[in-house]
């Protein structure tokens, strides 16, 4: 089947369908986040909602019950417990992780077969965003831009020269009705050095790449077919069987054969080179909660002195100390005369590091995996 751009510009909000990819382990948040309980299943902000639940609630005013969740087979029970509104028709289960190209591509292929005029919006389950109304306003503008025939990425206006995020170089205004902030995308750039990041901020032409995409499913699939024909063919085969009794058999046979590639490389970057990508800058607060230092930035309500404390019933004593404590036990944790410490206490693993070295936790996970200590991963 050849894919054409079939998005209708009429009432684009009525064609919107949200997609929540809920994958990834979040190894830099070990030992709190693990393969069996990844970070999107946790409340990392002290809000009372898990990241997954908060993502769904943020999208519901835009999409209603049109929310497709893509997650691993192992997380089905936990996801359904947190999102009882999501039925089997809106739940896509991966037998093994295949990166975002396959996850988002399959969602697009399924939605295209149900309604070729669909405009999909992909929003990761593990991001922290506030306030919701600014986010929703930006997404509405992105939907209108997508209806004009663009793959739209939502960029975040940088607050500091981060070396941990990719960047998007913005071009000219597109002059799209009801989308006054939509710009052309000149290029996507990888995570920069600090000096280059400072230069990006000085120009005012760059925004952070938050990995959020809003696009006509037809245009998304057109670029996937052109740039990743093997992946496209496999996803088409699965999507064709999805709403039939053959779903499980076809998925089990085809999914393991699919190539692994991020949606950025499979679609966004080549589509940008073809002039088909736009960016709508968002002014809302955004963080991908990449490490425990981020948890310290995002949490204030549970502070004890200068220590951010997370965990129901956590017992923490501090004196002249600062940092982050996450406790999943009833053990008393006393911090005295220590600055910017990170302590994560779980029944079978204890992490002690500093905010400065929080990104290096992934290395500990890799080492444990290599040594065979997978029972704590």
């Amino acid at each position: 089947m050849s894919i054409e751009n079939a998005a209708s510009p009429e009432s684009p909000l009525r064609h919107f369908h949200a997609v929540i990819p809920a994958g990834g382990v979040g190894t830099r948040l070990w030992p709190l986040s693990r393969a069996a309980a990844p970070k999107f299943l946790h409340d990392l902000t002290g809000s009372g909602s898990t990241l997954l639940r908060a993502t769904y609630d943020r999208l519901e005013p835009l999409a209603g019950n049109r929310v497709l969740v893509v997650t691993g087979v192992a997380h089905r029970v936990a996801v359904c417990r947190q999102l009882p509104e999501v039925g089997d028709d809106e739940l896509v289960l991966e037998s093994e992780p295949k990166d975002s190209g396959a996850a988002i591509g399959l969602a697009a292929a399924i939605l295209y077969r149900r309604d070729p005029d669909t405009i999909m919006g992909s929003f990761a389950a593990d991001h922290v965003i506030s306030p919701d109304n600014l986010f929703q306003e930006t997404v509405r503008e992105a939907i209108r831009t997508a209806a004009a025939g663009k793959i739209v990425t939502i960029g975040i206006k940088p607050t500091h020269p981060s070396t941990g995020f990719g960047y998007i170089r913005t071009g000219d205004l597109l002059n799209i009705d009801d989308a006054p902030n939509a710009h052309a995308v000149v290029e996507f750039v990888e995570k920069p050095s600090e000096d280059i990041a400072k230069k990006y901020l000085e120009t005012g032409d760059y925004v952070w790449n938050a990995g959020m995409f809003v696009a006509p499913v037809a245009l998304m699939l057109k670029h996937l077919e052109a740039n990743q024909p093997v992946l496209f063919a496999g996803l088409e085969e699965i999507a064709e069987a999805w709403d039939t009794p053959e779903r499980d058999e076809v998925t089990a046979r085809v999914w393991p054969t699919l190539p692994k590639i991020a949606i950025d490389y499979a679609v966004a970057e080549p589509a940008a080179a073809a002039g088909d990508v736009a960016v709508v800058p968002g002014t809302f607060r955004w963080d991908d909660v990449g490490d425990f230092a981020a948890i310290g930035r995002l949490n204030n309500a549970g502070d004890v002195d200068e220590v951010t404390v997370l965990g129901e019933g956590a017992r923490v004593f501090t004196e002249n100390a600062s940092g982050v404590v996450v406790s999943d036990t009833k053990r008393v944790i006393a911090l005295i005369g220590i600055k910017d410490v990170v302590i994560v206490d779980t029944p079978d693993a204890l992490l002690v590091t500093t905010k400065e070295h929080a990104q290096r936790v992934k290395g500990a996970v890799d080492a444990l995996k290599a040594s065979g200590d997978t029972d704590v991963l």
Side-chain angles (χ1 to χ4, degrees), residues 75-116:
H75 304 132
R76 176 177 188 161
V77 172
V79 167
C80 290
R81 188 182 302 124
Q82 292 193 12
L83 302 178
E85 304 93 328
V86 176
D88 281 348
D89 286 348
E90 296 289 326
L91 191 63
V92 175
L93 298 173
E94 303 175 317
S95 57
E96 59 183 281
K98 283 291 183 179
D99 216 325
S100 58
I104 296 172
L106 179 56
I110 291 169
L111 293 174
Y112 180 86
R113 289 190 173 276
R114 292 176 179 174
D115 178 4

Side-chain angles (χ1 to χ4, degrees), residues 59-318:
L59 291 166
E60 193 270 340
L62 297 165
N65 62 359
R66 301 185 305 276
V67 180
L68 193 76
V69 179
V70 186
T71 193
V73 171
H75 304 132
R76 176 177 188 161
V77 172
V79 167
C80 290
R81 188 182 302 124
Q82 292 193 12
L83 302 178
E85 304 93 328
V86 176
D88 281 348
D89 286 348
E90 296 289 326
L91 191 63
V92 175
L93 298 173
E94 303 175 317
S95 57
E96 59 183 281
K98 283 291 183 179
D99 216 325
S100 58
I104 296 172
L106 179 56
I110 291 169
L111 293 174
Y112 180 86
R113 289 190 173 276
R114 292 176 179 174
D115 178 4
D117 288 341
T118 298
I119 294 174
M120 69 178 285
S122 174
F123 305 93
D126 55 4
H127 291 177
V128 174
I129 290 169
S130 66
D132 285 357
N133 66 310
L134 279 183
F135 166 79
Q136 290 154 0
E137 186 180 307
T138 303
V139 175
R140 288 187 186 98
E141 191 169 342
I143 294 168
R144 297 184 189 106
T145 306
K150 296 289 185 181
I151 293 172
V152 187
T153 181
I154 294 175
I156 307 298
K157 291 185 177 178
T159 56
H160 61 282
S162 172
T163 59
F165 302 137
Y167 286 73
I168 300 164
R169 184 181 169 196
T170 63
D172 295 336
L173 272 173
L174 293 175
N175 299 314
I176 293 171
D177 289 345
D178 298 320
N181 300 300
H183 286 72
V185 167
V186 177
E187 63 176 341
F188 291 85
V189 291
E190 300 292 339
K191 297 174 182 178
S193 67
E194 188 170 352
D195 286 343
I196 292 175
K198 286 178 181 176
K199 291 176 182 175
Y200 287 170
L201 262 66
E202 288 170 4
T203 68
D205 293 336
Y206 290 82
V207 291
W208 287 335
N209 182 1
M212 303 180 199
F213 293 99
V214 179
V217 289
L219 183 58
M220 180 78 77
L221 293 170
K222 176 183 173 183
H223 281 284
L224 188 64
E225 181 180 25
N227 296 292
Q228 293 290 322
V230 174
L231 177 58
F232 172 82
L235 295 176
E236 280 291 291
E237 188 175 355
I238 295 173
E240 190 172 349
W242 192 260
D243 291 321
T244 76
E246 283 76 46
R247 175 199 293 187
D248 292 344
E249 183 275 320
V250 174
T251 304
R253 174 170 52 80
V254 177
W255 186 262
T257 70
L258 298 177
K260 280 188 176 185
I261 186 169
I263 196 69
D264 304 69
Y265 304 131
V267 172
E269 291 188 7
D276 278 348
V277 181
V279 59
V280 174
T283 56
F284 50 85
R285 189 180 180 195
W286 168 84
D287 202 298
D288 69 350
V289 204
D291 57 31
F292 286 107
I295 289 180
R297 291 195 304 270
L298 294 166
N299 289 271
N300 295 306
D303 282 3
V304 178
D305 295 331
E306 294 182 52
V307 178
T308 295
V309 177
L310 278 183
E312 192 174 341
R315 305 165 70 192
V316 180
F317 168 81
T318 71

Side-chain angles (χ1 to χ4, degrees), residues 26-48:
T27 51
R28 290 181 180 86
L29 290 174
W30 178 88
L32 181 65
S33 181
R34 307 192 187 195
K39 66 177 179 175
F40 61 82
L41 295 174
H42 295 274
D43 173 10
L44 299 182
T45 64
S47 67

